[in-house]
Amino acid sequence: MIKIAVDAMGGDYAPKEQVEGAMLAVKNIKDIEITLFGKKEEIEKYLTNSTRINIEDCRDMVSMGETDPVRVMRYQTDASMVRAMRATANKEYDCVFTCGPTQCVVIGSHLIIRRMEGFKRPALAPIIPSLTTGQTVILDCGANLEVKPEQLVQQAQYATVYAKEVLGRINPSVGLLNIGTEEGKGREFEKECYKALKESSLNFYGNVETKQILEPPCDILISDGFTTDMVVKTVEGTAKSMGKMLKRNLMHGFFGKIGALLSKKNLNNFKKEINPDEVAGGMIFGLKMPVIKCHGSSKSYAVFCGLRIAATVVRQDVNNKVQEALKKETPLNEGE
Amino acid sequence: MIKIAVDAMGGDYAPKEQVEGAMLAVKNIKDIEITLFGKKEEIEKYLTNSTRINIEDCRDMVSMGETDPVRVMRYQTDASMVRAMRATANKEYDCVFTCGPTQCVVIGSHLIIRRMEGFKRPALAPIIPSLTTGQTVILDCGANLEVKPEQLVQQAQYATVYAKEVLGRINPSVGLLNIGTEEGKGREFEKECYKALKESSLNFYGNVETKQILEPPCDILISDGFTTDMVVKTVEGTAKSMGKMLKRNLMHGFFGKIGALLSKKNLNNFKKEINPDEVAGGMIFGLKMPVIKCHGSSKSYAVFCGLRIAATVVRQDVNNKVQEALKKETPLNEGE
């Protein structure tokens, strides 16, 4: 059985959506067992089927607007996210799942779960939709605003194992986000990263412009934490605003309204396709135990999708495979 | 009469769309006179009405795939873009318009038009659609990949005058693109820029996340040239890919197809709303003479829109107003 520690109190709609998502997950994924960390009486309101679902009662929680993540993750020892992480660090569980605030998840991962041996800068890697392959792994989404080229290469190595084991890609290719496709484009950082990626054993595609963000020519897109975060939020914002514009335009005039009505099913499919819930489940790469973080606004279906990723990461033994890959690549640095 | 020097050979569809755009402009804007720089015989193929349109025959042109912009802008002295810029630098025209390759336009602006006195880092500022106000000025779109906070403040000052005079905004507000809205978010660069903008006389809104890229709470969005370029191209890419997804989804099934047919007019309006042509016309801020640069893929309507901006910039005397604003802000640095 794969044992997942779920922070039931993290998220804008917690614990309702987290509990419902957990029930959906155990129903659809046969080899998992879930423990919900959070206020027992709150969780029990929504828990209508407790097959393979346990509760660990926590009297405290991390607030979604938390401004001092270090203090919280260090001292709020009875908060559901902290408890779930500590129990997983102690190997009581195989993996942590949370929809809590990103900075708390990232800092908690560092302080409690800790870095994988030899891995320098853990990265947050969500999955975004792709018209070419269905899904793209994109990183680092805000875990480290600035990184060194060799740290970015390590992150790309983790992403390669992840894309292979979790998304089933054969020989996954890595693209460097840049302002132009030619070698030599970008800041000093991009030039150095280009060189480092080219010299590594990775399947490096080259530079990719953000014009191709939703139909990239590769499986993995990588940049520093600041840039990627800006880009991912731009995709999100553009998709939302375009949805509004579309709605406003479609409901114009009599025939237009009938047309929109007849198109309703197709428009809903479209909405589903661009819905972040469908592709939720960012993983923090480079920790001793896997941590999966979903969007704060996740509904039960998104929670289920995230838990499915969590189960796959454990089942495919991603962390050990990454360790092996890293050892092959940088035998001299492994003790660092 | 406002005299505009148009690089008729710059752009993916040059000179056809440039010539047709120029004819559209003189027909609709009564106080302009256009000179088309380019191959006379090519231009004459499309020029069906030469009222207030002249031709300056140039035997050379800047190629859209140019990889050595410095060499081209220095030594290809008979290239249409170079000729248009030189004549404008000599005050024979009030303004330059081109759809040529960005890096050549930026470098040519530096070498030929030259910086406005006291202005440190000219910036490329396109206009993007906004659901809140119709249009947002966004900068710096790739002219300087990295800048200092005080240079960014100057760029914001230019943008403020531009938003007031060209877009008609009253007391335009400036937002700093960042990964979070709270003060203290971002890299060292964002922290310093926040402080500098707050201390300036500008109407500083604060940090703006890219989730709000198409419906920002302010008139102007600013960041360094690398970040803004990545963000603007992400908007472009997301809009294009979403258009494809929408089309694919809408044409599903019998009723779906009828629905799509009835919605055709509204969908076209939607397409128009998200079409970069409708909002084209980026200006390079901080030069001695105004330079307007439109998208390489501009069609005649986009060229017309860009020329309309060019005319407004000259008519409203934007450059002189910026100089006055800069003198007020930094009296000690004006001679630099």
Side-chain angles (χ1 to χ4, degrees):
Chain A
M1 273 295 158
I2 294 165
K3 296 173 85 174
I4 306 175
V6 172
D7 167 20
M9 307 309 284
D12 301 335
Y13 311 109
K16 181 175 181 292
E17 302 295 334
Q18 278 60 29
V19 174
E20 289 174 1
M23 290 190 291
L24 208 54
V26 289
K27 195 175 150 199
N28 287 285
I29 312 167
K30 296 302 167 203
D31 60 349
I32 64 168
E33 191 181 298
I34 288 174
T35 300
L36 297 168
F37 285 75
K39 286 185 184 134
K40 199 164 187 278
E41 66 280 15
E42 295 267 323
I43 291 170
E44 280 173 342
K45 270 190 215 162
Y46 307 103
L47 193 67
T48 53
N49 182 352
S50 61
T51 319
R52 287 184 281 128
I53 300 186
N54 312 304
I55 301 175
E56 274 289 337
D57 188 33
C58 308
R59 292 292 90 199
D60 197 4
M61 58 180 278
V62 174
S63 118
M64 287 310 282
E66 182 53 52
T67 53
D68 189 352
V70 176
R71 187 194 53 79
V72 149
M73 299 311 290
R74 241 187 209 137
Y75 305 115
Q76 276 182 230
T77 48
D78 202 24
S80 56
M81 198 202 291
V82 178
R83 287 266 307 271
M85 284 188 175
R86 289 196 171 190
T88 308
N90 289 337
K91 304 275 169 78
E92 293 166 39
Y93 303 92
D94 300 306
C95 179
V96 182
F97 174 92
T98 178
C99 304
T102 309
Q103 282 314 306
C104 293
V105 179
V106 170
I107 285 168
S109 298
H110 273 92
L111 292 175
I112 303 167
I113 307 280
R114 310 195 79 85
R115 285 185 296 137
M116 177 183 273
E117 202 188 333
F119 203 95
K120 285 154 201 160
R121 291 294 187 107
L124 178 55
I127 290 171
I128 59 168
S130 161
L131 271 179
T132 30
T133 60
Q135 298 178 319
T136 307
V137 182
I138 187 163
L139 67 158
D140 164 26
C141 203
N144 296 286
L145 300 192
E146 289 167 286
V147 287
K148 291 188 184 136
E150 64 270 24
Q151 295 163 349
L152 183 134
V153 171
Q154 274 200 336
Q155 294 172 348
Q157 280 162 336
Y158 200 112
T160 297
V161 175
Y162 182 77
K164 200 184 283 178
E165 302 298 336
V166 178
L167 304 184
R169 300 291 158 80
I170 298 154
N171 194 19
S173 53
V174 178
L176 179 66
L177 285 174
N178 206 338
I179 55 160
T181 54
E182 305 87 348
E183 185 170 352
K185 284 277 179 183
R187 304 167 294 188
E188 264 320 300
F189 175 72
E190 278 71 32
K191 289 174 197 168
E192 286 172 25
C193 287
Y194 190 102
K195 197 168 163 275
L197 287 164
K198 204 174 161 183
E199 284 168 0
S200 75
S201 63
L202 293 162
N203 179 11
F204 180 46
Y205 172 82
N207 291 325
V208 176
E209 283 187 280
T210 52
K211 285 198 273 208
Q212 289 190 276
I213 193 75
L214 294 183
E215 31 197 318
C218 55
D219 302 290
I220 297 155
L221 287 172
I222 196 162
S223 183
D224 64 83
F226 183 83
T227 304
T228 308
D229 196 68
M230 297 293 275
V231 165
V232 168
K233 284 182 183 153
T234 304
V235 173
E236 201 183 313
T238 305
K240 274 202 182 145
S241 299
M242 278 186 66
K244 279 191 204 171
M245 287 186 204
L246 178 63
K247 205 173 163 189
R248 209 174 57 185
N249 276 301
L250 274 184
M251 296 310 280
H252 248 265
F254 178 65
F255 288 109
K257 278 181 188 131
I258 294 179
L261 207 66
L262 288 173
S263 303
K264 207 174 169 190
K265 199 179 143 208
N266 288 338
L267 284 172
N268 280 340
N269 284 342
F270 172 63
K271 217 170 143 188
K272 210 170 153 187
E273 195 169 4
I274 60 161
N275 180 359
D277 284 4
E278 293 288 315
V279 286
M283 179 166 173
I284 302 187
F285 288 177
L287 303 172
K288 283 197 171 146
M289 301 294 284
V291 174
I292 307 292
K293 139 95 187 129
C294 279
H295 217 289
S297 62
S298 295
K299 296 295 188 87
S300 60
Y301 188 77
V303 171
F304 160 56
C305 293
L307 288 168
R308 190 170 51 191
I309 291 181
T312 313
V313 166
V314 176
R315 201 182 296 120
Q316 299 297 109
D317 200 15
V318 168
N319 259 17
N320 276 327
K321 286 175 182 158
V322 169
Q323 287 259 290
E324 280 164 35
L326 288 182
K327 274 181 195 158
K328 253 185 256 168
E329 189 79 19
T330 50
L332 293 171
N333 292 332
E334 69 181 275
E336 195 259 12
Chain B
M1 272 295 158
I2 294 165
K3 295 172 84 175
I4 306 175
V6 172
D7 167 20
M9 308 308 285
D12 301 336
Y13 309 109
K16 181 174 181 293
E17 302 295 333
Q18 280 60 26
V19 174
E20 289 175 359
M23 290 190 290
L24 208 55
V26 289
K27 194 176 152 197
N28 287 285
I29 312 166
K30 295 302 169 200
D31 61 348
I32 63 168
E33 192 181 296
I34 287 174
T35 299
L36 298 167
F37 286 75
K39 285 185 187 137
K40 198 165 188 277
E41 66 280 13
E42 296 266 323
I43 291 171
E44 281 173 342
K45 269 189 216 164
Y46 306 103
L47 193 66
T48 53
N49 182 352
S50 62
T51 318
R52 286 185 280 128
I53 300 186
N54 312 305
I55 301 175
E56 274 289 337
D57 188 34
C58 307
R59 293 291 91 197
D60 197 5
M61 57 180 280
V62 173
S63 117
M64 288 309 283
E66 183 53 54
T67 52
D68 189 352
V70 176
R71 188 193 53 78
V72 150
M73 299 311 289
R74 240 187 210 139
Y75 305 115
Q76 276 182 231
T77 49
D78 202 24
S80 55
M81 197 201 292
V82 177
R83 288 268 304 273
M85 284 189 173
R86 289 197 169 189
T88 307
N90 289 337
K91 303 276 170 79
E92 293 165 41
Y93 302 92
D94 300 307
C95 179
V96 183
F97 174 92
T98 179
C99 303
T102 309
Q103 281 314 307
C104 293
V105 180
V106 169
I107 284 167
S109 298
H110 273 91
L111 292 176
I112 303 168
I113 308 281
R114 309 196 79 84
R115 285 184 297 137
M116 178 184 273
E117 202 188 333
F119 202 96
K120 285 155 201 159
R121 291 293 188 108
L124 179 55
I127 290 172
I128 59 168
S130 161
L131 272 179
T132 30
T133 60
Q135 299 179 317
T136 307
V137 182
I138 186 163
L139 67 160
D140 165 26
C141 202
N144 297 285
L145 300 191
E146 288 166 287
V147 287
K148 291 188 183 134
E150 63 270 24
Q151 296 162 348
L152 183 134
V153 171
Q154 275 201 335
Q155 295 172 348
Q157 280 162 335
Y158 200 112
T160 298
V161 175
Y162 183 76
K164 200 184 282 178
E165 302 297 337
V166 177
L167 305 183
R169 301 291 158 78
I170 298 155
N171 195 19
S173 53
V174 178
L176 179 66
L177 286 174
N178 206 338
I179 53 160
T181 55
E182 305 88 348
E183 186 171 350
K185 284 277 180 183
R187 305 168 293 188
E188 264 320 299
F189 176 72
E190 278 70 32
K191 289 174 198 167
E192 286 173 25
C193 287
Y194 190 103
K195 199 166 162 275
L197 286 165
K198 204 175 163 184
E199 284 168 1
S200 75
S201 64
L202 293 162
N203 179 11
F204 180 47
Y205 172 83
N207 291 327
V208 176
E209 283 187 280
T210 51
K211 283 198 272 209
Q212 289 190 276
I213 193 76
L214 294 183
E215 31 198 317
C218 55
D219 302 290
I220 297 155
L221 288 172
I222 197 162
S223 183
D224 63 83
F226 183 83
T227 305
T228 308
D229 196 68
M230 297 293 275
V231 165
V232 169
K233 283 183 184 153
T234 304
V235 172
E236 201 183 313
T238 306
K240 274 203 183 146
S241 299
M242 278 185 65
K244 279 190 205 172
M245 286 186 204
L246 178 62
K247 204 173 163 189
R248 209 173 58 186
N249 276 300
L250 274 184
M251 296 310 281
H252 248 265
F254 178 65
F255 287 111
K257 278 183 187 130
I258 294 179
L261 207 64
L262 288 172
S263 302
K264 204 174 173 191
K265 199 181 141 206
N266 289 339
L267 284 171
N268 279 340
N269 284 341
F270 171 64
K271 219 170 142 187
K272 211 171 154 186
E273 197 169 1
I274 60 160
N275 181 358
D277 284 3
E278 293 288 312
V279 286
M283 180 167 171
I284 302 187
F285 288 177
L287 303 172
K288 283 198 170 145
M289 303 294 284
V291 174
I292 307 293
K293 139 94 188 130
C294 279
H295 218 290
S297 62
S298 295
K299 296 293 188 90
S300 60
Y301 188 76
V303 170
F304 160 57
C305 292
L307 287 168
R308 191 169 52 192
I309 290 180
T312 314
V313 166
V314 176
R315 202 182 296 119
Q316 298 298 108
D317 201 15
V318 167
N319 259 18
N320 276 325
K321 285 174 183 158
V322 169
Q323 287 259 292
E324 280 164 36
L326 288 182
K327 275 181 194 160
K328 252 185 258 171
E329 189 79 19
T330 50
L332 292 172
N333 292 331
E334 68 181 276
E336 193 260 11

